[in-house]
Amino acid sequence: MTKPIKRIGVLTSGGDCAGLNAVIRAAAFRAIRTYGWEVFGIVDGTMGLMNRPLQYRTLDMHFFTGNHLREGGTMLGTTNKGDPFNFPMPDGSRRDRSGDFVEGVKLLGLDALVVIGGDGSMRIVSKLCAAGNIGMVGVPKTIDNDVHCTDTSVGFSTAANVVTEALDRLQPTAASHHRVMILEVMGRDAGHIALNAGIAGGADVILIPEVPYTLEGVADKIKEVLHGEGRSHALVVVAEGCKTAEGDVPTVSYTGGQQRYGGIGHYLTQQIADLTGAETRVTILGHVQRGGTPSMHDRLLASAFGVHAVDLVAQRKFGRMVAWRDRSVIDVPLDSVTIGPRSLDPNGALVHTARGLGIYCGEFGEDMESPRDCCGGESI
Ligand code: F6P
């Protein structure tokens, strides 16, 4: 006979974003109020189950004081490093610690796990759960919006709003000083943040990793705006994963040998100044995009996802990820989303909109291919 569900774990994994607490809250409310289950919040993603003593918090109704829906970050903590299958040990060696994770789930007596993560976390944690025969349901979150099979993920709307607001703040100072402002934004290898916020924030140039550009193309657009149209300033948005003309993606090294994208904004600033003679300045938004109060859209998405994820657990529909498509919450097999990040479609509606507005988005050939996407979906 199948064991009834009595206790579930919830964890956040990968880079944080706004709206994670709203998912945790929604999942806990549904699990406790509707199904009468116990809910344990796992601390620091997979680490809380690998560490001994185990690290977790009991999430009962007294825990939720009313503020969590509104708070950025994750009340549970998270990590975006330390793959349990290839875990970096203090002596520099690597070890498979997946067994510690599986043991942790058993020691806590969890009947299922709700995992709130991006494409990388979905891939790793679903493999861990498969190894331990643990029932898992995924909830997509990432500011990058690069998870397959869902139109949008928790955290993206807030991040895109932050970028739009940054452009709203850059425009008046650009106009006052007759400058070209370059704004470098996050998104890893995908241009969803840059394109969405670039359109909403009135950019003249939007560079995304999915479409190659030329420096001449960028310079021509800026000259057209400044000299042809007589506007004294221009706004450029560049996604951090864009390449230089030489074909490199600039990176920054951090402690522990971690490499992150960063630097394309400074590169472009110099190039644009040289090619156009305009005065240029650069702004790097960085982790500002990940923090802050979640937008109304992220809170709604998070709430709908949290409820649906727990309903899937109740139905024992494991190995699924909740998703948002065509104004509905649906669920899709985890296998179909763990195929890598979802790129932006250069033939999609938003690129068409940007080009229709006369925004320079790179060089388009007839042969521009749409990326492989199991389920389609535009990123708004
Ligand atoms: O994946 C989310 C993200 O914010 C990316 O947009 C960015 O490239 C990366 O994480 C930054 O990672 P970290 O927080 O480790 O600096």
Side-chain angles (χ1 to χ4, degrees), residues 46-47 50 79-89 94-98 120-121 123-125 127-128:
T46 49
M47 290 305 302
M50 284 157 60
T79 179
N80 64 355
K81 52 185 194 296
D83 175 355
F85 289 102
N86 191 25
F87 196 82
M89 303 302 287
R94 300 258 163 187
R95 224 181 87 193
D96 179 356
R97 292 195 57 199
S98 55
S121 300
R123 187 170 39 78
I124 293 170
V125 186
K127 213 169 129 196
L128 286 168

Coordinates of all heavy atoms in Angstrom, one line a residue, residues 46-47 50 79-89 94-98 120-121 123-125 127-128:
T46 N 20.2 22.3 -1.2 CA 20.5 20.9 -1.0 C 21.5 20.8 0.2 O 21.5 19.7 0.9 CB 21.2 20.3 -2.2 OG1 22.3 21.2 -2.6 CG2 20.3 20.1 -3.4
M47 N 22.2 21.9 0.6 CA 23.1 21.8 1.7 C 22.4 21.4 3.0 O 23.0 20.6 3.8 CB 23.8 23.1 1.9 CG 24.8 23.5 0.9 SD 26.1 22.3 0.5 CE 26.8 22.1 2.1
M50 N 22.3 17.8 3.2 CA 23.6 17.1 3.2 C 24.4 17.3 4.5 O 25.2 16.5 4.9 CB 24.5 17.7 2.0 CG 24.0 17.1 0.7 SD 24.5 18.1 -0.7 CE 26.2 18.1 -0.5
T79 N 21.9 28.2 -2.4 CA 23.2 28.2 -2.9 C 23.2 27.9 -4.4 O 22.3 27.2 -4.9 CB 24.1 27.1 -2.2 OG1 25.4 27.1 -2.7 CG2 23.5 25.7 -2.3
N80 N 24.2 28.5 -5.1 CA 24.3 28.2 -6.5 C 25.6 27.6 -6.9 O 26.1 27.7 -8.0 CB 23.9 29.5 -7.4 CG 25.0 30.6 -7.2 OD1 25.9 30.5 -6.4 ND2 24.8 31.6 -8.0
K81 N 26.2 26.9 -5.8 CA 27.4 26.2 -6.1 C 27.4 24.9 -5.3 O 26.6 24.7 -4.4 CB 28.6 27.1 -5.8 CG 28.7 27.7 -4.4 CD 29.9 28.6 -4.3 CE 30.1 29.0 -2.9 NZ 29.1 29.8 -2.2
G82 N 28.3 24.0 -5.6 CA 28.4 22.8 -4.9 C 27.5 21.7 -5.3 O 26.6 21.3 -4.6
D83 N 27.6 21.2 -6.6 CA 26.8 20.1 -7.1 C 27.1 18.9 -6.3 O 28.2 18.4 -6.2 CB 27.3 19.9 -8.6 CG 26.6 18.6 -9.2 OD1 25.9 17.9 -8.5 OD2 26.9 18.4 -10.4
P84 N 26.0 18.3 -5.6 CA 26.3 17.2 -4.7 C 26.9 16.0 -5.4 O 27.5 15.2 -4.7 CB 24.9 16.8 -4.2 CG 24.1 18.1 -4.4 CD 24.7 18.8 -5.6
F85 N 26.8 15.8 -6.7 CA 27.4 14.7 -7.4 C 28.9 14.9 -7.6 O 29.6 14.0 -7.9 CB 26.7 14.5 -8.8 CG 25.3 13.9 -8.6 CD1 24.2 14.8 -8.8 CD2 25.1 12.6 -8.4 CE1 22.9 14.3 -8.7 CE2 23.8 12.1 -8.3 CZ 22.7 12.9 -8.4
N86 N 29.3 16.2 -7.4 CA 30.7 16.5 -7.7 C 31.1 17.6 -6.7 O 31.5 18.7 -7.1 CB 30.8 17.0 -9.2 CG 32.2 17.1 -9.7 OD1 33.1 16.5 -9.1 ND2 32.4 18.0 -10.6
F87 N 31.0 17.3 -5.5 CA 31.1 18.3 -4.4 C 32.5 18.7 -4.1 O 33.3 17.8 -3.8 CB 30.4 17.8 -3.2 CG 30.0 18.9 -2.2 CD1 28.9 19.7 -2.4 CD2 30.9 19.1 -1.1 CE1 28.6 20.7 -1.5 CE2 30.6 20.1 -0.2 CZ 29.5 20.9 -0.4
P88 N 32.8 20.0 -4.1 CA 34.2 20.4 -3.8 C 34.5 20.3 -2.3 O 33.8 20.9 -1.4 CB 34.2 21.9 -4.2 CG 32.8 22.3 -4.2 CD 31.9 21.1 -4.4
M89 N 35.5 19.5 -1.9 CA 35.8 19.2 -0.5 C 36.9 20.3 -0.1 O 37.6 20.8 -1.0 CB 36.4 17.8 -0.4 CG 35.4 16.8 -0.8 SD 33.8 16.8 0.1 CE 34.2 16.2 1.7
R94 N 37.2 16.3 -5.1 CA 35.7 16.3 -5.4 C 35.2 15.0 -4.9 O 35.8 14.0 -5.1 CB 35.5 16.4 -6.9 CG 36.1 17.7 -7.5 CD 34.9 18.7 -7.8 NE 35.4 20.0 -8.0 CZ 34.6 21.1 -8.1 NH1 33.4 20.9 -7.9 NH2 35.1 22.2 -8.3
R95 N 33.9 15.0 -4.4 CA 33.3 13.8 -3.9 C 31.8 13.7 -4.3 O 31.2 14.8 -4.4 CB 33.4 13.8 -2.4 CG 33.8 12.4 -1.8 CD 33.9 12.5 -0.3 NE 32.6 12.2 0.2 CZ 32.2 12.4 1.5 NH1 33.1 12.9 2.3 NH2 31.0 12.0 1.9
D96 N 31.4 12.6 -4.6 CA 29.9 12.4 -4.8 C 29.2 12.3 -3.4 O 29.4 11.4 -2.7 CB 29.7 11.1 -5.6 CG 28.2 10.8 -5.9 OD1 27.4 11.6 -5.4 OD2 27.9 9.8 -6.6
R97 N 28.5 13.4 -3.1 CA 27.8 13.4 -1.8 C 26.3 13.2 -2.0 O 25.5 13.6 -1.1 CB 28.1 14.7 -1.1 CG 29.6 14.8 -0.7 CD 29.8 15.9 0.3 NE 28.9 15.8 1.5 CZ 28.6 16.8 2.3 NH1 29.1 18.0 2.1 NH2 27.8 16.6 3.4
S98 N 25.9 12.7 -3.1 CA 24.4 12.5 -3.4 C 23.8 11.6 -2.3 O 22.6 11.8 -1.9 CB 24.2 11.9 -4.7 OG 24.9 10.7 -4.9
G120 N 19.3 24.7 -13.9 CA 20.4 23.9 -13.4 C 20.0 23.1 -12.1 O 20.3 21.9 -12.0
S121 N 19.3 23.8 -11.2 CA 18.8 23.1 -10.0 C 17.8 22.0 -10.3 O 17.9 21.0 -9.7 CB 18.2 24.2 -9.1 OG 19.0 25.2 -8.7
R123 N 17.7 20.2 -12.9 CA 18.5 19.0 -13.4 C 19.2 18.3 -12.3 O 19.0 17.1 -12.2 CB 19.5 19.6 -14.4 CG 20.3 18.5 -15.2 CD 21.1 19.1 -16.3 NE 21.8 20.3 -16.0 CZ 22.9 20.5 -15.2 NH1 23.5 19.4 -14.8 NH2 23.4 21.7 -15.0
I124 N 19.9 19.0 -11.4 CA 20.6 18.3 -10.3 C 19.7 17.7 -9.3 O 19.9 16.5 -8.9 CB 21.6 19.3 -9.7 CG1 22.7 19.7 -10.7 CG2 22.3 18.7 -8.4 CD1 23.6 20.9 -10.3
V125 N 18.7 18.5 -8.8 CA 17.9 17.9 -7.7 C 17.0 16.8 -8.2 O 16.7 15.8 -7.5 CB 17.1 19.1 -7.0 CG1 16.4 18.5 -5.8 CG2 18.0 20.2 -6.6
K127 N 17.8 14.7 -10.4 CA 18.7 13.5 -10.5 C 18.9 12.9 -9.1 O 18.9 11.7 -8.9 CB 20.1 13.9 -11.1 CG 20.8 12.9 -11.9 CD 22.0 13.5 -12.6 CE 23.2 12.6 -12.4 NZ 24.4 13.3 -12.8
L128 N 19.1 13.8 -8.1 CA 19.3 13.4 -6.7 C 18.0 12.6 -6.2 O 18.1 11.6 -5.6 CB 19.4 14.6 -5.8 CG 20.8 15.3 -5.8 CD1 20.7 16.6 -5.1 CD2 21.9 14.4 -5.2

